[in-house]
Amino acid sequence: MDARNDIAPRPRTRIQRKNSRAILDAALDVFSQYGFRGATLDQIAEVAGLSKPNLLYYFPSKEAIHVTLLAGLMDSWLAPLRAIDPNGEPVDEILGYVRRKLELSRDYPRESRLFANEVLQGAPRITDLIQGELRDLVSDTAALIRGWVAAGRLAPVDPHHLIFSIWATTQHYADFDVQVRDILLQDPERTHQGALDFLTHLYRAALTPGGPGLGESGPGKKP
Amino acid sequence: MDARNDIAPRPRTRIQRKNSRAILDAALDVFSQYGFRGATLDQIAEVAGLSKPNLLYYFPSKEAIHVTLLAGLMDSWLAPLRAIDPNGEPVDEILGYVRRKLELSRDYPRESRLFANEVLQGAPRITDLIQGELRDLVSDTAALIRGWVAAGRLAPVDPHHLIFSIWATTQHYADFDVQVRDILLQDPERTHQGALDFLTHLYRAALTPGGPGLGESGPGKKP
DNA sequence: CAGTTGTCTGACCAGATGGTCAGGTTCAAC
DNA sequence: GTTGAACCTGACCATCTGGTCAGACAACTG
């Protein structure tokens, strides 16, 4: 009847903190590349520089490591969406979201791939998170966007498909990194800039009220 | 010294054809869901309704099945891109590509997921296909698009990032199907139609020459 | 320094996994 | 209906997998 059986027991000692971190980092490497079933504890242990029994001293099972990673991920994953300001300029707010999401893909590609792997495999371990936290936040954001559209401050688009498209286009650079690199053959920073420029144009064109060949020509406010 | 050791030996007898088909279909189910390492021969055998040794009577190894699937996939995967008509109306041609690609995602989601899984894991078994066939075709298409842009028949966009975004947005509906369903909670056909409408608007707005905020103001064609 | 708690490991286990093999069964052609 | 090839299987194997465990070792505490 002890109370230590949390999903992620906060580390107490320094060693615990250090090793937990090392394990989660190694696990992120391996899980994001091979998915849950394809990853092995031996691999994770080797990457982490620990023995397999030692892994299982810190985490009760392979699945516990995986769940800990996924749970810790969702927050930072949703942060850019939460950061949309309902009182801001609609087009700029959405372009800002695109930019933040793209930066997330550049800076945390392993997290993106971990998530992609999980969803690809039917999201068996995060359906509750998707149907809960994620769905609620998306619903709210969709309502916000609908409001902007109704007010004529945004071209009429379906909010859900808009959000999906932003997820898809930004995460693509993390999830399909190998493909992108093999086709573009250029340094990552340039690819990132090219993607940002393109996506900015794409969404500005599609979202600016007055459609293609726009109506109200506002001040060309710079980024 | 027999000549039977092709990647995909064309089946001769009726039984061979039937069972090969069943195996590949089952393998597509399993591989697309769990990835190469996560899939097991026992699973594939069970789905195919055959015994495991019988699988290995038709294919020499697990990897051979996987490679056969991937090789057979690339063609149908690239077909929509090949179908772009250099003599057509640029915006319509690209919108047509988007539509075909979206239909592919709806009709062949397993193939999309198989491909996604493979690329996610670093594309260890198809780097040559990506750097060869795929890269060449993308290069050609990019050149075509650049030509259209130069002729003022398309808004100035980076062809590669345009193509990436089309892949991302369309394949998203297959690869992240679970997530899309959990958020939208509507029947697939309606989702497909909604996606098509949104993407059509998105790309028409971004590609129509004379769009928002660019230099050469072309003819403001249609709302 | 003794004792207690926390950290770590080699050896081990049961079950799964990719793959093999000797031999049995089915099938089509003679 | 005999025969040879194609088809199929149960039993088996080496290896890997997630996980356990008894006990060694380290570190803080008194």
Side-chain angles (χ1 to χ4, degrees):
Chain A
M1 293 276 186
D2 49 348
R4 69 164 157 78
N5 207 2
D6 270 336
I7 287 177
R10 49 263 149 103
R12 279 141 218 195
T13 74
R14 210 162 278 166
I15 295 178
Q16 232 167 69
R17 191 157 18 238
K18 192 190 88 184
N19 282 347
S20 285
R21 235 182 259 279
I23 291 170
L24 288 175
D25 192 68
L28 184 55
D29 259 24
V30 179
F31 279 136
S32 68
Q33 194 175 158
Y34 297 110
F36 181 73
R37 290 189 49 170
T40 72
L41 284 181
D42 293 270
Q43 256 183 114
I44 298 172
E46 198 191 326
V47 174
L50 299 171
S51 69
K52 187 169 61 171
N54 206 9
L55 278 205
L56 294 164
Y57 172 72
Y58 288 99
F59 291 88
S61 69
K62 180 187 180 184
E63 183 155 357
I65 303 178
H66 196 240
V67 168
T68 301
L69 279 177
L70 287 171
L73 187 130
M74 200 49 100
D75 272 342
S76 46
W77 215 236
L78 293 182
L81 196 52
R82 288 193 219 277
I84 292 180
D85 179 9
N87 300 317
E89 175 60 32
V91 174
D92 290 338
E93 285 302 319
I94 291 178
L95 290 181
Y97 175 54
V98 170
R99 185 179 46 74
R100 288 191 299 272
K101 204 77 176 54
L102 195 62
E103 283 164 1
L104 222 59
S105 273
R106 179 195 53 186
D107 299 334
Y108 302 95
R110 296 180 305 172
E111 280 82 349
S112 184
R113 275 181 229 127
L114 178 73
F115 189 78
N117 244 313
E118 186 65 11
V119 176
L120 211 78
Q121 306 191 359
R125 273 163 280 271
I126 49 168
T127 28
D128 51 333
L129 286 178
I130 290 177
Q131 293 176 347
E133 214 178 344
L134 178 61
R135 204 174 107 71
D136 292 345
L137 185 54
V138 169
S139 282
D140 293 349
T141 310
L144 174 65
I145 293 173
R146 245 190 303 274
W148 281 340
V149 168
R153 305 177 67 195
L154 217 53
V157 295
D158 182 297
H160 283 108
H161 289 288
L162 171 62
I163 293 171
F164 291 159
S165 79
I166 293 174
W167 289 348
T169 49
T170 54
Q171 290 171 200
H172 185 84
Y173 290 96
D175 302 344
F176 291 74
D177 175 54
V178 176
Q179 196 187 31
V180 168
R181 278 214 316 269
D182 279 354
I183 288 178
L184 246 35
L185 301 175
Q186 65 189 14
D187 72 291
E189 196 40 55
R190 183 165 168 203
T191 297
H192 177 81
Q193 190 58 48
L196 181 57
D197 289 346
F198 171 80
L199 292 177
T200 300
H201 166 78
L202 180 70
Y203 286 109
R204 192 189 294 285
L207 294 177
T208 301
L214 67 158
E216 45 181 324
S217 49
K221 193 180 171 188
K222 57 137 272 157
Chain B
M1 297 274 185
D2 50 347
R4 69 164 157 77
N5 208 2
D6 269 336
I7 287 177
R10 47 266 151 95
R12 278 141 219 199
T13 74
R14 208 161 280 168
I15 295 178
Q16 231 168 70
R17 191 158 16 239
K18 193 189 87 182
N19 283 347
S20 285
R21 236 182 258 277
I23 291 170
L24 288 175
D25 192 68
L28 184 56
D29 259 23
V30 179
F31 280 136
S32 69
Q33 194 175 155
Y34 298 109
F36 181 72
R37 291 189 48 169
T40 73
L41 284 180
D42 293 272
Q43 258 183 111
I44 298 172
E46 197 191 327
V47 174
L50 299 172
S51 68
K52 185 169 62 169
N54 205 10
L55 280 205
L56 295 164
Y57 172 74
Y58 288 99
F59 291 88
S61 69
K62 181 186 178 183
E63 184 155 356
I65 302 178
H66 197 240
V67 167
T68 301
L69 278 176
L70 286 171
L73 188 131
M74 199 51 99
D75 271 342
S76 44
W77 216 238
L78 294 181
L81 196 51
R82 289 191 217 278
I84 292 180
D85 179 9
N87 301 316
E89 176 60 32
V91 174
D92 290 339
E93 285 302 320
I94 292 178
L95 289 181
Y97 175 54
V98 170
R99 186 179 45 75
R100 288 191 298 272
K101 204 79 176 56
L102 194 62
E103 283 166 359
L104 221 58
S105 272
R106 180 195 52 187
D107 299 334
Y108 302 96
R110 297 180 304 172
E111 281 82 350
S112 184
R113 275 182 228 126
L114 179 73
F115 189 78
N117 245 314
E118 186 65 9
V119 176
L120 250 178
Q121 306 191 357
R125 274 163 279 272
I126 50 168
T127 28
D128 52 331
L129 285 178
I130 289 178
Q131 294 176 346
E133 213 177 345
L134 178 60
R135 205 175 105 71
D136 292 345
L137 185 53
V138 169
S139 281
D140 293 349
T141 310
L144 174 64
I145 292 174
R146 245 190 304 274
W148 281 339
V149 169
R153 305 178 66 194
L154 216 54
V157 293
D158 182 296
H160 283 107
H161 289 288
L162 171 62
I163 292 170
F164 290 157
S165 80
I166 294 173
W167 289 350
T169 49
T170 53
Q171 290 174 17
H172 186 84
Y173 290 97
D175 301 344
F176 291 76
D177 174 55
V178 177
Q179 196 187 32
V180 169
R181 278 212 317 268
D182 280 354
I183 288 178
L184 245 37
L185 302 175
Q186 64 189 14
D187 72 292
E189 195 42 53
R190 183 165 166 201
T191 297
H192 176 81
Q193 189 59 48
L196 181 58
D197 289 347
F198 171 79
L199 292 176
T200 300
H201 166 77
L202 181 70
Y203 287 108
R204 191 189 294 286
L207 294 177
T208 301
L214 59 101
E216 42 183 325
S217 52
K221 194 182 167 189
K222 92 125 238 146

